Amino acid sequence: MVTSDQKIDILSALDSILAQNDAREKSLHAAMQLIAKHLPHYNWVGIYVLDGGVLILGPYVGAATEHTTIPIGVGVCGTAVATGKNQVIADVRDLENYLACSLETRSEIVVLIRTKDGSILGQIDADGHTVGAFDASDKALLEVIAARIAPLLLQEPGE
Ligand code: SME
């Protein structure tokens, strides 16, 4: 659950980050830090970049994960790409096609990052430690953030 005040604060701070025109990875990491700082139910939040038919882990905040590359169709992340649909999973224990990053994770949200013409560039992935941590307000916020950071994914990582 994201309040409208939190949404306004996060999007305003995101615009300041993007206005600095820092290198891609620095800006993406700052965006993930912003989400984690304002929203305590985001116990892990990061970017996966779609590259050569696999998802590659980019900047994130939270515990290190062994899932640094994820094939399309595998796990919640790969399912989002395969179906072209954002995923809000109330209880990850209900899923068979799930890649556990942490035993503490109980819920997950994945929102696709797309070009203006709809091609998938990557995704924002977040994990929560409680069942049902994410709702439509989280999805709506991440959809706006995804649209604003999409141009970064069109840059080379060092730019
Ligand atoms: N749980 C994800 C894998 C990524 S971690 O959550 C960071 C999945 O099932 O695709």
Side-chain angles (χ1 to χ4, degrees):
M1 158 84 187
V2 179
T3 67
S4 51
D5 281 352
Q6 285 173 319
K7 186 173 181 181
I8 289 165
D9 288 347
I10 291 168
L11 293 177
S12 145
L14 178 65
D15 285 344
S16 302
I17 289 167
L18 297 176
Q20 290 177 34
N21 287 315
D22 283 326
R24 173 181 126 159
E25 304 306 289
K26 186 175 175 190
S27 300
L28 291 174
H29 190 236
M32 297 302 102
Q33 285 177 313
L34 179 65
I35 295 170
K37 179 179 128 194
H38 283 265
L39 302 171
H41 59 297
Y42 285 61
N43 297 108
W44 189 98
V45 59
I47 302 282
Y48 281 94
V49 179
L50 186 61
D51 187 1
V54 287
L55 289 162
I56 312 276
L57 181 62
Y60 65 92
V61 176
T65 172
E66 64 191 73
H67 301 298
T68 54
T69 64
I70 301 176
I72 293 171
V74 176
V76 181
C77 295
T79 297
V81 177
T83 61
K85 292 200 167 83
N86 297 334
Q87 308 284 309
V88 182
I89 309 297
D91 188 345
V92 297
R93 293 186 190 170
D94 290 340
L95 298 182
E96 288 177 10
N97 188 8
Y98 169 67
L99 301 171
C101 276
S102 155
L103 292 177
E104 285 182 293
T105 298
R106 291 304 308 270
S107 49
E108 179 153 359
I109 184 168
V110 173
V111 168
L112 294 165
I113 303 169
R114 297 175 182 270
T115 60
K116 284 210 169 79
D117 67 8
S119 304
I120 297 172
L121 297 168
Q123 59 190 216
I124 304 170
D125 176 27
D127 294 342
H129 288 177
T130 55
V131 171
F134 306 110
D135 63 14
S137 64
D138 293 274
K139 186 161 152 290
L141 171 68
L142 294 185
E143 284 171 352
V144 177
I145 294 174
R148 293 197 191 175
I149 65 177
L152 291 171
L153 269 61
L154 292 167
Q155 296 174 14
E156 292 300 318
E159 286 177 32

